[in-house]
Amino acid sequence: MLLTVLAQDRPEDGLDRILGFIFGVTGGILGILYLLLFVFALISILRSQRLTGGGKFLWIVVALAYPFLGSLGWFIFGKSAQLVKQGSYTG
């Protein structure tokens, strides 16, 4: 009998469901934004004309190892990184 009473819906259950839904939707949106940041960082790294193949490889490894911080680091620091292509030396 006591278990039946405890298993019944309580008024707080409605609030718990609403909060669970809100947190679920918010988490889903943040997850999609996180994934988009990561994908755009990888595309930007691969399309970068300033970096050598080794520089691109290094940034891709950083982005894969630290998906959020690596991607954010690329957009903050990486686009102006000093791992640039040099002109060919003919002298």
Side-chain angles (χ1 to χ4, degrees):
M1 171 110 179
L2 181 60
L3 292 176
T4 306
V5 172
L6 292 176
Q8 291 177 354
D9 285 339
R10 298 171 304 196
E12 300 89 36
D13 286 344
L15 180 61
D16 289 343
R17 290 180 185 160
I18 292 171
L19 289 176
F21 176 77
I22 290 171
F23 287 128
V25 170
T26 303
I29 291 171
L30 289 176
I32 290 170
L33 291 174
Y34 167 74
L35 182 64
L36 287 174
L37 174 70
F38 178 71
V39 169
F40 285 140
L42 287 179
I43 291 170
S44 179
I45 292 168
L46 291 173
R47 295 186 68 187
S48 175
Q49 298 294 321
R50 296 183 44 112
L51 296 178
T52 62
K56 289 179 183 181
F57 177 75
L58 179 65
W59 274 106
I60 289 172
V61 168
V62 169
L64 289 172
Y66 307 100
F68 180 71
L69 292 177
S71 300
L72 199 59
W74 164 253
F75 287 113
I76 294 172
F77 304 111
K79 287 191 163 211
S80 61
Q82 296 301 313
L83 298 172
V84 296
K85 292 181 180 179
Q86 300 293 325
S88 61
Y89 180 72
T90 59

